Every structure is written in structure tokens, then in C-alpha cells.
Amino acid sequence: MSSKDFADRLRDRQPLVGYWVMLDAPAATERISRVGYDYVVLDGQHGLIGYQGLLNGLMAIDAGGALGNGTVGLVRVEANNPTPIGRALDAGAAGVIVPLVDTADDAAQAVRGARYPPAGIRSFGPARSELRVGPVPAEAAAATVVLAMIETALGLENVAEICATPGLDGVYVGPSDLRLAVGGRFPGDPAVAGPFEAAVELIAQTAQKAGIAAGIHTPDGETAQRMLAAGYTFATVASDLSHLEGVASAHLAIARA
């Protein structure tokens, strides 16, 4: 699947399933990209990955995707700033997930950072992306997506205005921060299960009304399946770091039983 194919499918609100990578381990990322996920996200905000790691990871995703179903690479950038957004796209990302979007102005800023003039302020220098996305600004815009994270109380309050932002392709729920935003004492706090589920439902419904994609991070395949059935159009499953620890712990428990 090319970046343009992925962008078209996401904008059409077709169901997509992805994976989350936090480790700077290109060989492992390449193997994950062969499995068959529609996309793999490299976490440039909380992940243990620097810029060189993002570049190497995107090349690994392309290599693994070529052997699988054409998995594409996305980057969760470190901040809503045109520099990390532009660098991720220059490195060949098929799109960016922008954290901490609180208002429609924030969402518009993210879009501007990802688009060349006159639609935006992205500086022209597609060092690697021109090899696969195309250096023509209109082609680059058609083949890359911009996703805004809804994860704060203010972002939830302004979700309708955010979803209506011209040029925004979708929203993405950060469940840990969102649960804190609705009053949780810690991510996963069961005491706020009701308000959290209501917020998750509201975001999906609002995105649907606006005609844009709605995505969410999930801890496992079962939850991803449930979210896709509940109105989300794309869902990301767990992460390499959590799976590494979980599988290692499970095998140790069996061995010592």
C-alpha cells in the first residue's frame, strides 16, 4: 500500500489497524512491519527514539512493508511545532500524529506545519520523502495525513471545533491522558470509567459527523476490535515495549511454575 493509498483509505474512514513502536530497534520494527498491520507508528514524543531512530525506523517500515501488505509508517511527533512535523515528513512518514491539541487554532497550526505554501508553512526540503511520496506539494499533501490528538480536558471541550478544522484528516485518542483529563488519578483508573467511556464515544461521534477519521490507542487486539465496532475507523494495538515485557514475563512464569 502506498502512502497515497493509505491516505485515501483513512480519509474514506475505512477500518485500519496499526501498531505502536517505542524502541529504537529498526530490525525489530522491520519484522513487525511484515506482520500485516496497515500502519506502524514511531513514537517521537514518549518513545525512546531520536531523529536518526525515526529515520531508520521509517526505512525499516518501508522494507518490512514491501515484504508484507505495504505497511506505512507514521510518526507521533514530539510537539505541535512545524520543525518536528516537517522533519518527520521529510524523513518519509506517511503522516503525523500531533499531541496535545487543545483548540481549533492548535489543529490549524498542525495542518499548516504539514503542508507546503500556500496551504501551510512547511519548508521545502523532502530529503527522503521525495523518493516515495513525491516532491510536488499537491502530491505530498494528497499522500500524507495530519492527525490531532484529543487527550486533554480542553481538547475534549473543543472537539467539535477541532474536527471541523480545514485540512485535518482525523483525530486520535490518547487514552492515558484522556482518562486523567476526566478526573482519573492515574491512567486506567476505574473510578472514572463512566466519564472516560462517554468521552471516547463523544469523540468518535463528533469525528463521524465531521466526516473525518477517528483513531484510538488500545492495549490489545480485543479492545481494538471493540473500538472499530463502536465507531472508530482506525485503532493502534499496544506497543513493542509492552509486548516485549509481557511475553518475557509470561514465559518466565511458565518456566518457574
Side-chain angles (χ1 to χ4, degrees):
M1 173 167 53
S2 69
S3 295
K4 178 63 165 57
D5 292 335
F6 174 81
D8 288 345
R9 289 178 61 188
L10 183 134
R11 290 169 183 146
D12 287 343
R13 292 178 51 86
Q14 296 181 28
L16 300 164
V17 180
Y19 194 80
W20 198 266
V21 167
M22 299 188 71
L23 297 174
D24 185 357
T29 300
E30 182 180 22
R31 283 181 173 266
I32 290 168
S33 302
R34 294 180 60 188
V35 171
Y37 287 97
D38 297 302
Y39 64 91
V40 170
V41 182
L42 302 175
D43 189 350
Q45 184 190 24
H46 294 304
L48 308 175
I49 311 174
Y51 180 73
Q52 187 64 49
L54 293 178
L55 176 61
N56 292 341
L58 288 169
M59 290 191 288
I61 293 168
D62 287 347
L67 298 173
N69 71 334
T71 302
V72 302
L74 305 179
V75 173
R76 198 254 293 265
V77 296
E78 62 190 72
N80 187 2
N81 180 285
T83 298
I85 290 173
R87 294 200 82 192
L89 295 174
D90 288 348
V96 289
I97 299 175
V98 181
L100 300 172
V101 173
D102 290 333
T103 65
D105 286 343
D106 289 345
Q109 178 179 325
V111 172
R112 287 194 299 271
R115 301 292 180 240
Y116 293 116
I121 59 172
R122 179 182 173 188
S123 178
F124 191 86
R128 175 172 181 265
S129 62
E130 66 178 352
L131 301 176
R132 57 192 306 275
V133 176
V136 178
E139 294 176 359
T144 54
V145 298
V146 185
L147 308 170
M149 292 197 72
I150 306 297
E151 53 185 343
T152 67
L154 192 54
L156 183 62
E157 179 182 336
N158 294 320
V159 65
E161 291 82 2
I162 291 170
C163 287
T165 302
L168 187 70
D169 297 298
V171 290
Y172 188 79
V173 175
S176 294
D177 281 312
L178 184 63
R179 194 174 288 258
L180 296 178
V182 298
R185 297 166 297 162
F186 53 86
D189 186 357
V192 294
F196 174 76
E197 293 297 333
V200 167
E201 182 177 355
L202 172 65
I203 293 167
Q205 291 177 347
T206 305
Q208 181 178 14
K209 289 177 183 177
I212 65 172
I216 188 168
H217 194 92
T218 68
D220 50 52
E222 289 80 8
T223 306
Q225 183 185 53
R226 180 165 59 86
M227 290 295 97
L228 290 171
Y232 279 85
T233 60
F234 67 104
T236 312
V237 178
S239 73
D240 55 349
L241 189 60
S242 62
H243 279 164
L244 179 66
E245 182 179 12
V247 172
S249 298
H251 282 295
L252 178 61
I254 293 170
R256 285 183 169 169

